[in-house]
Amino acid sequence: MTLTITAELLAELFERGNRHGETAIVLGKDGWDCHVHHGRRLPEELTALTWEDASDSIGDEDELDDEAVRALLATADYSIPDEEGQRTLPGDGVEWAVITSAVDDDTSTAEGLPWQEARWFDLGTTRRVLDQDDEALREERRAFSLWVTQRGQWLLSTTSQYASEPDQWVQCTAQHAALLIYRAHGSLLADEAELPLVARAARAARDLTDMLAFEGPDAGPDPERQASACWKARDVATEYEHATRVIGTLVRETVQREIRDSRRNAAKTVYRAYDDNATTAASALGYSRRTLNELLQAPVV
């Protein structure tokens, strides 16, 4: 499989097109490939050329000649860029894969990207943060592992036992990744020494939540038994109510303020590193110049 559509791939498309089913050149996690989708709808956003496209280009001819190949390849630039959007190819020996979907922040589901927005990344320098939950795969027939690339892009490697759901690489925001790390069972975490700062901080938040977690006694539906169980647990419950109230206020009034101060100091360091150029610094931080200016000018509480 390749990161661009070649004459050889077009020839394969034309040769396989007479078989039953829809035939097309489709982008997947391993690059462009020729697929025959028997009785299934082609993934439109990842489909570049169909057999009908190739057939229409040659008219009444019996084969796809060089002129027709050149015409088809001239319809668009089918090369897949790297994470920075540069149309560079992986070096010799580089193991790569293609990001073909993104997590919708509103629904938390993976949505296919148009192939024009797909990117390739270096698998060899990408770090695993969460292992795949094999129990979820057995019970739900779907699972994922969480990774982060050398350039800081968070990715889900999804696996499905459903034939209609191909394995894929799905990009997500750092915010979504932090939530997954926060919710994950500790056994799924990679080596703590290898975890990025966002992951370590998310787990620290999880540790605090776990420390303060309290569930009321389960005494069944009988009111008298409920009252008796709660009476026995009243001292512990009082301690937890007091602790959660105090620490909740501490987090809201002090911890959040100090985190904001740290963010401002970090942003200011990046701003000064780029010679006080707000446009360049904001681009490096991944948000707008207006957001950066508001952050730098925010009063210190």
Side-chain angles (χ1 to χ4, degrees), residues 163-185:
S164 60
E165 299 177 0
D167 295 351
Q168 58 184 337
W169 287 96
V170 183
Q171 68 185 27
C172 69
T173 62
Q175 197 71 47
H176 186 77
L179 181 60
L180 293 176
I181 296 165
Y182 173 83
R183 289 177 172 172
H185 191 279

Side-chain angles (χ1 to χ4, degrees), residues 27-30 46 98 100-101 132 137 141-143 156-170:
L27 184 66
K29 67 184 183 69
D30 298 316
L46 295 173
V98 178
T100 57
S101 294
Q132 178 176 287
L137 185 61
R141 303 184 67 185
R142 296 185 183 95
L156 302 175
S157 176
T158 65
T159 300
S160 173
Q161 295 179 347
Y162 295 97
S164 60
E165 299 177 0
D167 295 351
Q168 58 184 337
W169 287 96
V170 183

Side-chain angles (χ1 to χ4, degrees), residues 3 77-89 99 115-122 149 151 153 171 283:
L3 286 170
D77 185 351
Y78 295 107
S79 59
I80 304 302
D82 62 18
E83 285 185 78
E84 294 187 328
Q86 303 299 313
R87 298 191 183 276
T88 58
L89 293 175
I99 304 166
W115 64 262
Q116 296 90 337
E117 297 179 17
R119 297 289 185 268
W120 71 265
F121 66 98
D122 185 346
T149 71
R151 299 187 185 278
Q153 174 63 63
Q171 68 185 27
S283 177

Side-chain angles (χ1 to χ4, degrees), residues 253-265:
E253 296 182 357
T254 303
V255 175
Q256 287 188 0
R257 183 184 69 242
E258 293 185 1
I259 289 175
R260 286 195 299 269
D261 291 344
S262 293
R263 181 188 177 192
R264 183 187 301 107
N265 292 338

Side-chain angles (χ1 to χ4, degrees), residues 45-175:
E45 67 278 358
L46 295 173
T47 299
L49 293 166
T50 65
W51 177 82
E52 286 77 10
D53 296 327
S55 180
D56 291 344
S57 70
I58 64 171
D60 297 329
E61 300 296 326
D62 293 330
E63 61 181 19
L64 197 66
D65 58 21
D66 291 345
E67 183 178 350
V69 168
R70 286 194 296 270
L72 282 170
L73 293 180
T75 58
D77 185 351
Y78 295 107
S79 59
I80 304 302
D82 62 18
E83 285 185 78
E84 294 187 328
Q86 303 299 313
R87 298 191 183 276
T88 58
L89 293 175
D92 293 339
V94 172
E95 185 182 3
W96 54 268
V98 178
I99 304 166
T100 57
S101 294
V103 172
D104 185 310
D105 288 334
D106 293 329
T107 63
S108 296
T109 57
E111 302 290 341
L113 292 170
W115 64 262
Q116 296 90 337
E117 297 179 17
R119 297 289 185 268
W120 71 265
F121 66 98
D122 185 346
L123 270 172
T125 58
T126 299
R127 290 185 289 169
R128 187 196 300 263
V129 177
L130 288 178
D131 291 328
Q132 178 176 287
D133 187 343
D134 291 333
E135 182 177 347
L137 185 61
R138 286 192 297 272
E139 295 180 356
E140 303 172 17
R141 303 184 67 185
R142 296 185 183 95
F144 67 86
S145 52
L146 180 67
W147 303 67
V148 62
T149 71
Q150 190 175 40
R151 299 187 185 278
Q153 174 63 63
W154 289 91
L155 299 172
L156 302 175
S157 176
T158 65
T159 300
S160 173
Q161 295 179 347
Y162 295 97
S164 60
E165 299 177 0
D167 295 351
Q168 58 184 337
W169 287 96
V170 183
Q171 68 185 27
C172 69
T173 62
Q175 197 71 47

Side-chain angles (χ1 to χ4, degrees), residues 267-268 271 277-283 285 287-297:
K268 185 178 295 184
Y271 172 69
N277 186 317
T279 300
T280 306
S283 177
L285 290 168
Y287 46 71
S288 69
R289 176 174 175 171
R290 178 179 179 180
T291 298
L292 175 61
N293 286 334
E294 290 175 349
L295 179 61
L296 296 178
Q297 295 167 12

Side-chain angles (χ1 to χ4, degrees), residues 215-282:
E215 293 185 9
D218 183 9
D222 183 86
E224 291 187 5
R225 293 186 63 184
Q226 289 179 3
S228 175
C230 290
W231 178 257
K232 293 176 182 178
R234 70 189 186 283
D235 291 339
V236 174
T238 299
E239 182 182 14
Y240 269 85
E241 192 286 330
H242 177 72
T244 52
R245 172 161 40 96
V246 170
I247 300 303
T249 301
L250 177 67
V251 169
R252 184 173 59 253
E253 296 182 357
T254 303
V255 175
Q256 287 188 0
R257 183 184 69 242
E258 293 185 1
I259 289 175
R260 286 195 299 269
D261 291 344
S262 293
R263 181 188 177 192
R264 183 187 301 107
N265 292 338
K268 185 178 295 184
T269 300
V270 174
Y271 172 69
R272 289 174 175 169
Y274 285 102
D275 298 324
D276 294 354
N277 186 317
T279 300
T280 306

